[in-house]
Amino acid sequence: MARPRIVIVGAGFGGLSAAHCLAGIDAEVTVIDRRNYHLFQPLLYQVATAGLSPAQIASPIRAILRRAANERVVLGRVTAVDKERRVVTVEDREVPYDYLIIATGARHSYFGHDDWEHVAPGLKKIDDATFIRRRILTAFENAEQALDAEARQRFLTFVVIGAGPTGVEMAGAIAELAHVALRHDFRTINPRDARIVLVEAGARVLAAFPPSLSEAALQSLQRLHVDVRLGKAVSQCDENGVTIGDQRLEAATIIWAAGVMASSAAKWLGVEPDRVGRVKVGQDLSLPGHPEIFVIGDTACTVDSNGQPLPGLAPVAKQQGIYVARLLQAKLKGTASPPPFRYRNYGTLATIGRRAAVADFGWIKIDGTLAWLLWGLVHISFLIGFRNQLVVMLDWLWSYLTFQSGARLITGTEPD
Ligand SMILES: Cc1cc2nc3c(=O)[nH]c(=O)nc-3n(C[C@H](O)[C@H](O)[C@H](O)COP(=O)(O)OP(=O)(O)OC[C@H]3O[C@@H](n4cnc5c(N)ncnc54)[C@H](O)[C@@H]3O)c2cc1C
């Protein structure tokens, strides 16, 4: 009898966890991704702010799964799912499945202002990170050559929109770049004159954290001279700056960290998505009426025991991937299915710069140096590949000791 075919779309945190768990089972597993590497998104902001190089936070999917003899990797973009014929369309090919796991993550959302994307890039891919890095470093170069004070100030103004973890980490890292790493590098300008503005429509930074940690994060940002504007939404964005509330601010670099929208899976599956495009799934993470299709991670809308939607976090996606893999193993073996999925929150962390971070473990909340060390340890341990773990650790140690940041390259602009 032919072995059951399990197709996993997306080799991010959710898809890869499922693939790891399904390695060696009596089934053919196909992992499809539009790129040939797994990306550790939580450290993307360090690539965007010249702290790390792209290869340090990405690993080839084939290399990660090389020991799983029952798994194969297909490089390609999925564009449709035919639920009746049980096939996935990957560009011009069809891949049949008996069980399908969709883990295609999320993308930026500009809340109806899609025209802002080219002036206020978001951070989701390596290309986004190197593009933002180019913008930030070029702004300092342009400021050095600016002929008048007004232009210089515009080049030295950086606006980050959205004060969730990504926005806070970006703002903190740009401030450190300006105040620490670049401080001796220019002759006409003082990079410390850079103005970093973090704009948040809500009442506090890191709104998903307890208020005491939001306050600690705010104070850390202010110590780094970040100008935090709370309770104000950006109403206009263009090449020359932003309008915050009714105030105009001239800025050459604007970064979007305000909203995400799930991938197109709901469209492929022909189901009504939730408000942010996610597919509503049952307690076993399957699509209602289709026990052979599972949706996990940022693409799925699942709730916790209080009925609250689970956040778009790597541990949620990982635990869901493991859960679905175990459920499939039970199905294939004909044993009892595991109980409904329950997310175990082991804690959330965000860093604000050198020796500043916040950590919420529920039973204990910490900030400062200890939280920062924990943040570093957790991120190193979750990075895939011993080489990346070692290189990132050494890079961080080097930057910490020398106040330098190693990847200050402006790439993608040279004329032929
Ligand atoms: C800048 C940033 C910082 C973050 N920081 C943190 C943090 O500090 N802590 C934390 O817990 N979480 C953080 N997150 C969130 C975390 O990264 C996500 O919750 C997690 O990646 C979700 O996992 P996933 O498997 O659902 O999707 P992803 O990890 O995004 O993986 C989706 C995969 O699907 C592939 N894919 C998408 N569409 C297609 C298609 N059509 N065809 C084929 N392949 C496709 C993609 O290439 C990708 O490999 C951060 C996210 C970002 C963007």
Side-chain angles (χ1 to χ4, degrees):
M1 236 173 72
R3 296 204 296 177
R5 294 157 304 184
I6 302 172
V7 170
I8 302 174
V9 187
F13 286 102
L16 215 48
S17 300
H20 275 312
C21 244
L22 294 169
I25 71 159
D26 193 16
E28 280 172 26
V29 178
T30 304
V31 179
I32 308 172
D33 203 293
R34 63 187 171 189
R35 50 192 187 217
N36 79 331
Y37 56 86
H38 165 83
L39 177 63
F40 191 79
Q41 289 173 358
L43 289 180
L44 255 187
Y45 84 95
Q46 295 219 354
V47 174
T49 52
L52 294 174
S53 294
Q56 293 173 329
I57 62 160
S59 301
I61 300 165
R62 283 186 192 286
I64 298 169
L65 299 178
R66 67 183 178 279
R67 292 206 177 88
N70 65 323
E71 302 194 338
R72 72 183 182 117
V73 178
V74 171
L75 176 67
R77 178 186 293 272
V78 167
T79 51
V81 173
D82 188 328
K83 292 185 289 187
E84 307 316 316
R85 291 172 49 233
R86 298 194 176 182
V87 291
V88 169
T89 305
V90 189
E91 288 158 31
D92 55 355
R93 284 163 291 157
E94 286 191 335
V95 179
Y97 65 83
D98 298 307
Y99 297 100
L100 174 64
I101 304 174
I102 299 184
T104 39
R107 57 205 149 89
H108 315 124
S109 164
Y110 285 80
F111 307 127
H113 293 285
D114 290 351
D115 53 313
W116 291 359
E117 185 165 9
H118 75 285
V119 285
L123 191 57
K124 209 72 190 104
K125 303 176 291 200
I126 283 186
D127 290 346
D128 297 333
T130 50
F131 180 68
I132 290 173
R133 181 177 73 183
R134 179 161 81 232
R135 282 224 169 153
I136 293 172
L137 297 177
T138 306
F140 284 103
E141 296 295 336
N142 288 340
E144 175 85 343
Q145 292 178 47
L147 297 175
D148 61 81
E150 208 177 296
R152 192 172 306 127
Q153 188 56 57
R154 191 174 75 78
F155 286 126
L156 286 179
T157 303
F158 301 84
V159 177
V160 180
I161 305 171
T166 303
V168 165
E169 289 175 349
M170 277 297 300
I174 300 172
E176 287 208 323
L177 187 69
H179 286 264
V180 183
L182 297 180
R183 68 193 192 284
H184 299 308
D185 287 14
F186 291 87
R187 299 293 168 262
T188 312
I189 58 161
N190 181 354
R192 288 176 163 175
D193 291 338
R195 183 176 182 198
I196 295 98
V197 183
L198 178 62
V199 191
E200 167 59 47
R204 56 192 176 97
V205 303
L206 299 180
F209 283 73
S212 60
L213 292 184
S214 291
E215 187 51 37
L218 178 64
Q219 283 173 16
S220 298
L221 285 164
Q222 286 167 341
R223 270 196 296 277
L224 286 170
H225 308 280
V226 175
D227 174 358
V228 183
R229 311 271 182 100
L230 296 174
K232 299 229 164 57
V234 167
S235 54
Q236 177 58 35
C237 241
D238 56 55
E239 281 85 3
N240 296 318
V242 294
T243 307
I244 305 167
D246 53 10
Q247 195 198 347
R248 175 75 186 170
L249 181 65
E250 298 295 308
T253 311
I254 308 166
I255 297 160
W256 184 258
V260 290
M261 179 64 111
S263 73
S264 308
K267 201 168 108 199
W268 305 336
L269 297 170
V271 296
E272 191 60 36
D274 78 348
R275 191 175 56 80
V276 287
R278 295 176 300 189
V279 176
K280 295 170 208 156
V281 290
Q283 289 185 319
D284 65 351
L285 309 179
S286 70
L287 185 70
H290 285 273
E292 76 288 4
I293 300 178
F294 300 88
V295 186
I296 60 173
D298 283 4
T299 300
C301 173
T302 40
V303 290
D304 64 14
S305 48
N306 302 320
Q308 293 301 311
L310 291 178
L313 290 175
V316 175
K318 284 174 102 161
Q319 290 179 28
Q320 292 183 334
I322 294 167
Y323 174 86
V324 170
R326 289 194 179 141
L327 189 143
L328 285 180
Q329 283 174 351
K331 263 185 200 270
L332 298 179
K333 282 188 195 146
T335 55
S337 292
F341 173 75
R342 212 180 104 229
Y343 172 55
R344 287 190 169 71
N345 183 358
Y346 297 111
T348 40
L349 300 127
T351 181
I352 305 109
R354 205 179 171 82
R355 301 226 311 253
V358 291
D360 176 18
F361 298 105
W363 56 281
I364 187 171
K365 298 166 190 15
I366 46 177
D367 62 273
T369 307
L370 180 59
W372 180 70
L373 287 170
L374 278 172
W375 177 91
L377 274 177
V378 168
H379 282 72
I380 292 280
S381 66
F382 283 123
L383 257 180
I384 289 187
F386 177 67
R387 184 185 167 280
N388 278 355
Q389 291 176 326
L390 187 70
V391 173
V392 170
M393 206 161 58
L394 290 176
D395 237 25
W396 283 351
L397 188 65
W398 180 257
S399 305
Y400 184 76
L401 295 174
T402 62
F403 294 86
Q404 286 297 309
S405 74
R408 297 203 314 257
L409 311 179
I410 299 176
T411 55
T413 52
E414 298 113 282
D416 289 335

